[in-house]
Amino acid sequence: MKNLALPVLFLLSFLFVVANVSEAAGITCPTVTSKAVTCAGFATGHAPSPAPACCAGLKQLAGMVRTLDDKKAICRCLKATSKSMGVKDQFLSRIPSACKINVGFTVSVNTNCETSVIPYEKIYKIRIMFSFH
């Protein structure tokens, strides 16, 4: 039994570290890319509207957001990817409304992901302040 104690302790420590690293990593760029890739046709001006798979993928992505850092990570990834794909701002900015997704910031290849992205809680408070019942 003593011979197993050290390997088991090591394994448990390793699993703890792996679990904490993956939790801290949040949403990864490959995940973002896989969910948004079907939006490329519209975002580059080659399709008349976002594909249903585009909207579905973005809604899944929005559902994965748990923190402000998640939103910033998604923004940074989409911004980096869109520049390399030749995305046109006039199409990119229309995707959230076409897909009926509220992202809480202006969608643009020029968006500053560190300062423009605001938490959902603030959006909700702003809506309450300016809503007329």
Side-chain angles (χ1 to χ4, degrees):
M1 188 70 164
K2 283 185 179 181
N3 292 343
L4 289 177
L6 191 56
V8 169
L9 183 61
F10 175 77
L11 180 61
L12 290 174
S13 299
F14 177 75
L15 291 174
F16 177 75
V17 169
V18 169
N20 284 333
V21 168
S22 64
E23 185 177 311
I27 299 173
T28 64
C29 201
T31 299
V32 173
T33 303
S34 71
K35 301 289 184 195
V37 71
T38 55
C39 300
F42 179 74
T44 56
H46 293 99
S49 62
C54 165
C55 295
L58 294 180
K59 287 178 183 177
Q60 287 175 355
L61 195 57
M64 295 168 66
V65 172
R66 298 289 176 255
T67 66
L68 181 58
D69 286 338
D70 287 344
K71 286 180 77 173
K72 288 180 180 182
I74 292 168
C75 178
R76 286 189 295 265
C77 179
L78 290 176
K79 188 173 175 180
T81 305
S82 64
K83 286 184 178 180
S84 67
M85 293 179 58
V87 168
K88 297 180 174 84
D89 233 8
Q90 70 265 31
F91 300 111
L92 180 65
S93 63
R94 294 182 5 216
I95 291 176
S97 62
C99 291
K100 296 177 177 64
I101 301 170
N102 183 5
V103 294
F105 58 92
T106 302
V107 176
S108 167
V109 294
N110 299 311
T111 296
N112 181 331
C113 297
E114 305 311 311
T115 59
S116 298
V117 177
I118 60 173
Y120 285 119
E121 298 81 31
K122 286 189 179 180
I123 296 169
Y124 181 72
K125 287 177 184 174
I126 291 169
R127 282 191 188 146
I128 290 174
M129 287 174 29
F130 291 103
S131 65
F132 301 104
H133 299 283

